[in-house]
Amino acid sequence: MSRDHRIHPLFREQDGELAIAGRTATEWIAAAGGRTPLFVYDRAVIAAKIAELRAALPTEVGIHYAMKANPMPQLVAWMAGQVDGLDVASAGELRVALAAGADPAHISFAGPGKRDFELELAIGAGVTLNIESAREFARAAAIGDRLGKRVRAAVRVNPPFDLKASGMRMGGGAKPFGVDADKVPALLAEIAAEGADFRGFHVFAGSQNLSAEAIIDAQRKTLDLVADLAEHAVVPPPLVNLGGGFGLPYFPGDQPLDLAAVGEALGKALAARDPILAETRFVLELGRYLVGESGVYLTRAIDRKMSQDEVFIITDGGLHHQLAASGNFGTVIRRNYPLANASRFGAPDAESLNVVGCLCTPLDKLGDKVMLPATEVGDVIAVFMAGAYGLTASPTAFLSHDPPAEMLA
Ligand SMILES: *Cc1c(COP(=O)(O)O)cnc(C)c1O
């Protein structure tokens, strides 16, 4: 069997099975009380990603974890000690971040529809708000006055460019996110007039990008943009969040992002930055790039049947836990995530199988004609690349099955 390059090398074969952090799939399922489906997230894979990033990035660039990729509380608590800050996008995520013991001074809160109670929680805790509109800032300022707290405000800018070739574009053109660049000077004047604590800028131009060239281009444009906008602020920006968008090779034929090229170009761009940014700290906010490869979704085959000349393996999992693998989360053409038979991880591929979930909908497909070892009822199927936007981005209520278990390895 030639190993699928999308399966992280830390996932190995042991006693014929897939092993995660030295325990076989059978042992993980036993540890979860015998429950399948089960997500296992391997901290060693995340630590390796963070180490690669630190080695590739210029030293003045920190790493923030965008929690929406995977908000499992235990994982977040561990992440808080590995990265330089957490980015949250709701009061729910903020509560998890605070309970994890993360320093509020290194938490930022973005999101276009922050409600008053969310602003209150964030301002009360001393978290930085990434301000998404002038009206939102006015509401935050009023809440700050009422609480007797100085609002920590960064401006999220809707950049006049986008991150080309992205899975999801979040900048350029008319967008609900951030403040159009031409309206930022007026907002900065408001922030100064209110006496808020200006923390800097946040520019997020897109997600799931595998092109170093596109990311380098967006980072350069971001540095130029924030240098221009900084002219209108009372103080130079203490922090600039350069966004992220680093993608993962989910599908056959995808080439991994050339991280070394990105790091090198960013180093050069920072060395040549406008002097107004001389004292600024920079961060990248990454979600999937940090945690995506760490997750394995384990689901058990409960039936095997033929329909015409095709074999179907029917599992106890499905799109209600792993929407992205079914191809229904932000992809145009459905392609297979990397899959394996975890019970026979060492065995050679022997047959072409359709691996489906247990939901009554044709959308519930985990693997379309994938080559796997001869697979029997009771075998455990592993879906890799399940660490980001798995459980958290799936319609768990659809079909009313029990939620899956989650474990941190
Ligand atoms: C979703 C999101 C992220 C994380 O995106 P990934 O593709 O998981 O890295 C980062 N920043 C903002 C503002 C986001 O909305």
Side-chain angles (χ1 to χ4, degrees), residues 116 119 131-142 179 187 190:
D116 281 353
L119 293 170
I131 298 293
E132 308 257 357
S133 77
R135 178 174 283 120
E136 182 181 78
F137 177 68
R139 285 166 51 224
V179 178
L187 175 56
E190 276 304 304

Side-chain angles (χ1 to χ4, degrees), residues 35-321:
R35 268 170 78 192
T36 50
L38 164 66
F39 284 92
V40 184
Y41 311 116
D42 186 350
R43 276 177 290 192
V45 174
I46 304 172
K49 285 309 269 199
I50 294 172
E52 274 171 46
L53 274 161
R54 300 247 188 240
L57 293 174
T59 47
E60 63 263 60
V61 178
I63 301 168
H64 278 198
Y65 175 48
M67 262 180 70
K68 81 173 192 279
N70 189 329
M72 182 204 194
Q74 278 173 283
L75 182 142
V76 172
W78 176 77
M79 280 300 262
Q82 309 297 311
V83 295
D84 307 303
L86 299 178
D87 293 335
V88 304
S90 70
E93 287 185 359
L94 178 53
R95 286 190 205 102
V96 171
L98 293 172
D103 180 353
H106 299 292
I107 301 176
S108 57
F109 183 5
K114 303 181 195 76
R115 284 174 282 176
D116 281 353
F117 82 90
E118 296 184 292
L119 293 170
E120 256 179 62
L121 179 68
I123 293 167
V127 162
T128 296
L129 298 173
N130 291 343
I131 298 293
E132 308 257 357
S133 77
R135 178 174 283 120
E136 182 181 78
F137 177 68
R139 285 166 51 224
I143 290 168
D145 284 346
R146 180 153 53 72
L147 298 180
K149 290 280 262 185
R150 193 167 178 219
V151 174
R152 294 167 65 92
V155 175
R156 179 167 182 184
V157 185
N158 174 30
F161 53 84
D162 63 8
L163 179 50
K164 296 192 175 56
S166 272
M168 274 185 210
R169 288 183 191 184
M170 293 181 68
K175 289 282 170 344
F177 311 108
V179 178
D180 290 354
D182 60 348
K183 299 191 187 82
V184 169
L187 175 56
L188 289 170
E190 276 304 304
I191 290 173
E194 287 290 339
D197 182 5
F198 173 61
R199 302 306 307 158
F201 296 107
H202 172 213
V203 183
F204 182 76
S207 194
Q208 179 48 22
N209 202 295
L210 293 172
S211 160
E213 208 182 320
I215 288 174
I216 289 165
D217 179 58
Q219 289 178 340
R220 285 200 190 114
K221 287 177 178 157
T222 299
L223 284 173
D224 290 344
L225 174 66
V226 296
D228 286 348
L229 294 175
E231 305 284 349
H232 301 275
V234 269
V235 290
L239 185 82
V240 168
N241 179 334
L242 295 167
F246 294 15
L248 290 176
Y250 287 100
F251 304 116
D254 280 356
Q255 290 304 312
L257 175 66
D258 185 349
L259 187 60
V262 172
E264 201 179 314
L266 185 54
K268 283 189 187 143
L270 286 175
R273 71 187 181 268
D274 189 297
I276 200 165
L277 304 176
E279 302 297 321
T280 300
R281 284 190 308 117
F282 297 88
V283 295
L284 292 171
E285 52 175 355
L286 301 172
R288 77 180 74 234
Y289 195 77
L290 298 179
V291 298
E293 288 151 295
S294 76
V296 184
Y297 178 62
L298 298 173
T299 176
R300 199 179 286 284
I302 51 180
D303 204 354
R304 175 188 166 114
K305 65 186 185 190
M306 296 284 297
S307 173
Q308 301 186 3
D309 56 353
E310 295 187 24
V311 184
F312 286 79
I313 298 295
I314 295 150
T315 68
D316 60 7
L319 71 76
H320 54 319
H321 304 154

